Amino acid sequence: MEEITKEVVPLTEAFYEQPTLELAKALLGCLLVRESTEGMAAGYIVESEAYIGPEDRATHSFNNKRTARTEIMFHHSGLAYTYLMHTHCLFNVVSGGEEKPEAILIRALEPVYGIDLMRKRRGIEDLTKLTNGPGKLIKSLAITMGDYGCSMTKPPLYIAKGFCPESISAGKRIGIDNSGEARDYPWRFWVTNNKFVSRHQKSELVFFQNPPGRADSSLLPGGFIHLT
DNA sequence: AGCAAGATTAGCT
DNA sequence: GCTAATCTTGCTA
């Protein structure tokens, strides 16, 4: 454990300053780390969803709605945006920069460190069900509303480099059926074929980090290759 | 002060 | 797949 903490270094603010759709993909494979008195727990981010400001009907800050809940979204990138949903707390990373209320929901992790601690916090044994959902992963890492507004660039809650996914899938976001046209935006991203994602869904787009036999110029705007 | 809605989950049919 | 659980937020009066 001593050795692990030396190697795991928080990503700096510059990382969070990329456009939200880029950041949502860049976060895949990164290590989300939680330190606490109980010990360290961490997992690779394998699923994310982008929520993009005033124009996105599914976003809490749609129409620049600024309330006690959404306030942190108007602040600088790289802060934690936590909020309550039914009986669960959900965790987002603020993006977009000052006065641009955007955020990325972290929907699933692949458990890496502190797995026994995660099992204890969740009260279940099954590894594949430990962190395969936004409400499950915050319980595994003991993230709470107390983390609202904290910076992700330093302990006790931060994101560090992990692995580089070979392929990223994209599809519709989950659970926003009442969001009009926004419900169909392909702003959910996941590590292709990763078994820790929250839901299986048809991939509408696929992004290859290193497209086999293709130059970058063959990619569609946004770096996507259409499947259909 | 009252009320409706919700970026979910677990458990059961 | 369907539904209850459970409670905060934000909006209206």
Side-chain angles (χ1 to χ4, degrees):
Chain A
M1 185 61 84
E2 208 57 36
E3 215 152 359
I4 289 168
T5 48
K6 279 178 197 165
E7 291 169 14
V8 179
V9 179
L11 292 164
T12 58
E13 287 191 20
F15 173 76
Y16 298 96
E17 286 164 4
Q18 44 190 323
T20 295
L21 287 178
E22 295 308 309
L23 181 57
K25 286 178 280 179
L27 282 168
L28 296 181
C30 288
L31 190 68
L32 177 60
V33 184
R34 167 55 136 205
E35 295 175 8
S36 80
T37 53
E38 294 179 294
M40 178 190 190
Y44 295 126
I45 296 168
V46 297
E47 181 181 344
S48 64
E49 279 180 359
Y51 287 85
I52 311 188
E55 298 83 27
D56 175 13
R57 198 174 291 273
T59 302
H60 294 150
S61 57
F62 177 62
N63 269 342
N64 272 316
K65 186 160 75 171
R66 191 163 183 161
T67 65
R69 180 172 73 152
T70 63
E71 178 60 30
I72 205 66
M73 296 179 77
F74 290 81
H75 291 233
H76 67 83
S77 303
L79 302 177
Y81 169 38
T82 50
Y83 68 92
L84 295 165
M85 173 65 187
H86 289 273
T87 53
H88 303 273
C89 176
L90 274 61
F91 168 71
N92 301 245
V93 176
V94 172
S95 64
E98 298 273 352
E99 302 303 316
K100 294 181 73 180
E102 307 178 5
I104 296 161
L105 172 67
I106 305 303
R107 287 193 56 91
L109 302 179
E110 177 173 335
V112 178
Y113 300 126
I115 292 174
D116 286 340
L117 180 54
M118 295 189 203
R119 287 196 165 109
K120 183 182 146 201
R121 285 169 172 161
R122 290 270 289 121
I124 62 166
E125 287 298 309
D126 189 345
L127 184 68
T128 62
K129 292 178 179 159
L130 230 38
T131 53
N132 64 336
K136 299 176 187 177
L137 71 91
I138 66 99
K139 197 172 175 190
S140 289
L141 299 194
I143 295 171
T144 68
M145 285 305 292
D147 294 299
Y148 182 91
C150 83
S151 172
M152 301 304 297
T153 60
K154 57 180 171 48
L157 181 62
Y158 60 95
I159 293 171
K161 260 193 194 174
F163 71 95
C164 181
E166 276 180 35
S167 165
I168 293 169
S169 298
K172 294 173 186 173
R173 292 172 292 179
I174 305 294
I176 55 161
D177 286 345
N178 294 327
S179 298
E181 75 287 345
R183 65 182 234 164
D184 294 327
Y185 298 168
W187 290 350
R188 171 182 181 234
F189 304 99
W190 66 94
V191 175
T192 305
N193 294 329
N194 185 282
K195 66 178 178 180
F196 297 95
V197 299
S198 67
R199 285 223 221 170
H200 295 295
Q201 176 192 29
K202 186 187 161 200
S203 180
E204 298 179 14
L205 305 163
V206 176
F207 175 81
F208 293 103
Q209 301 288 58
N210 297 295
R214 284 172 177 261
D216 282 352
S217 59
S218 70
L219 299 177
L220 295 171
F224 289 108
I225 295 169
H226 278 273
L227 286 183
T228 50

